[in-house]
Amino acid sequence: GQFEGMQVHPRFPPEPNGYLHIGHVKALSVDFLTAERFGGVCNLRFDDTNPTKEKEEFVEAIKDDIHWLGFNYANVYYASEQYDQIYEFALDLIRRGLAYVDDLSKEEIREYRGTLTQPGKNSPYRDRTPEENMDLFLRMKNGEFPEGSRVLRAKIDMASPNINMRDPTIYRIKYCTHHRTGDKWCIYPMYDFAHPIGDALEGVTHSLCSLEYEIHRPLYDWVVNVCNFKEKPRQIEFARLNLTNTVMSKRFLRRLVEEGYVSGWDDPRMPTLAGMRRRGYTSAAVRDFIDRVGVSKADSVVDVRLLEYCVRNDLNETAPRAMAVLDPVKVVLTNYEAGKVEDCVIENHPKKPEMGTHTVPLTREIYIEREDFMVDAPKKFFRLKPDGEVRLKGAYIIKCERYDVDEAGNVTCIYCSVDFTSKSGSEGADRKVKGTIHWVSAERNIPFEGRLYDVLMRNDDEQAEIAPEEETDEESAAPAKDFTARLNPDSLKTIRGFAEPWLAEAKVGDDFQFLRMGYFCKDKDSTADMAVFNRVVPLKDSYKPE
């Protein structure tokens, strides 16, 4: 529609004060896909106008995440590279009587600003002459005044129905070292001033942003117009992404990290891309999810299970199959020779022969899943039970002869005989039994730690209380009801299991389907003695997308 026939040039402007999360992916996709669709380019611009919370670490992480998602940016810019130009625009506004230095305190400015129903009133400093303002602003820049004592404000309209237009602050004094400009500046432009100027200087045509910036659009347009740019960028808003059981405010994510509720920004329970990647989510699944959510003007809350559904869909197609036992109980194959090792063939993907096969060693002693054996089994239980038969995946049919229990009645060992005529793939293997279970040799395996994740946040009825923060002025945000009360105490369960030796070759980040148990990804905490696997998603879920 409205973009036809023009060179479309959006930008993605993250603030480097944290890691990107799934909410940003929607904005990022809108920006990059709009450029792709109309044959344009998309800039990456780091909005580093708030030096107190910004770090180079976040800059690098954001670049990694964008590449992981499969997007490419045309140029990398930093708002801080434009400080000199933004400063010149401020001087020009002062000369033209369109900006003034105000000595009111933060509280007084808020008081003078009025409310949604009452107009604001003019600051007593609003009528300073351009010469006086110029002198004070230069002295602000030279570090002569304490932080918070003075600000530069645009002179617009204190009676405007839009509070953002009531002489907004455009520069503030801040004494702190910037991660790129060092101590060159002690005055910093506000987001609402720097952003439209940055867009215009870079040749951005469409400034796409989330809905809470709609109310800032008149100010965006005012800045672009008053600075006399020939090519004027346009701001267009879309609804931000909200997910059930997920907190996406950077302020809260930072608290989770700093207060030790999670192991870091890349904790696999975090909604950050770094966390999702570590958990084992694929970029294809994340992009599929964003496609399904779509772009709209209406705010909505998306079920986090849709994201898991997309991950499961993708891994079902791509992840090789392997065997691992998460809750082991020992089985002794009584008529199997001690010391004998036999290779059993497992297909890497049942529907994709091109993915090949691998072998699993069978020995006299094996482990099976504790839940696959029941002493008092109901009629429909087709796994192992006393006197019952079951097939070991890729191997033989075995029959339970007897079992040992401890004082508490827990099964400690199961003794089974092997039917040697029944090997999978052999001539006589046509004898059918109802159940097939997975197993791992007790003598030849790799021990591993399994991390089973659940949602980080419980119940969702209070979703509304954790409003998205206004990134433009974090200081004024009211503290939300303490979200730590909603943390799920069972978001991480750790188990010790055994996996087939083939998994020793797995690299960090490799995804597998552990047969019958779920999808798992090798974690960076793995050591030579102990592999660590994160459960990416369980195998099945009743969830169906609409």
Side-chain angles (χ1 to χ4, degrees), residues 21 240 247-254 466-469:
H21 56 62
R240 65 161 51 219
V247 164
M248 285 196 280
S249 147
K250 252 194 236 174
R251 212 168 47 243
F252 293 109
L253 297 181
R254 191 184 298 121
I466 297 188
E469 82 251 59

Side-chain angles (χ1 to χ4, degrees), residues 23-149:
H24 296 116
V25 179
K26 179 172 172 186
L28 193 149
S29 302
V30 169
D31 291 323
F32 283 96
L33 293 174
T34 300
E36 266 175 39
R37 209 176 119 202
F38 297 102
V41 290
C42 184
N43 292 352
L44 171 61
R45 174 168 77 246
F46 289 102
D47 174 37
D48 54 355
T49 52
N50 185 12
T52 48
K53 301 195 176 92
E54 293 162 358
K55 288 190 199 148
E56 210 52 47
E57 171 200 348
F58 298 139
V59 168
E60 294 311 314
I62 288 168
K63 290 179 178 173
D64 289 347
D65 286 341
I66 294 172
H67 287 138
W68 177 68
L69 281 169
F71 292 123
N72 292 305
Y73 34 85
N75 312 289
V76 181
Y77 294 106
Y78 295 83
S80 55
E81 295 170 333
Q82 300 160 341
Y83 281 171
D84 288 308
Q85 287 153 293
I86 296 169
Y87 173 71
E88 290 300 331
F89 281 111
L91 295 180
D92 183 55
L93 293 190
I94 292 172
R95 282 187 206 102
R96 290 159 58 196
L98 293 170
Y100 62 97
V101 172
D102 195 354
D103 303 7
L104 293 179
S105 70
K106 211 169 167 174
E107 291 66 40
E108 290 168 328
I109 287 179
R110 193 171 293 144
E111 222 172 282
Y112 274 62
R113 193 164 271 151
T115 63
L116 290 170
T117 49
Q118 287 166 323
K121 54 181 198 283
N122 287 352
S123 162
Y125 305 100
R126 196 175 195 263
D127 298 323
R128 282 177 164 157
T129 64
E131 292 70 35
E132 199 180 347
N133 286 318
M134 190 65 84
D135 172 63
L136 288 168
F137 189 54
L138 289 174
R139 289 167 63 194
M140 280 168 65
K141 174 181 175 276
N142 294 337
E144 291 182 32
F145 305 126
E147 204 166 293
S149 62

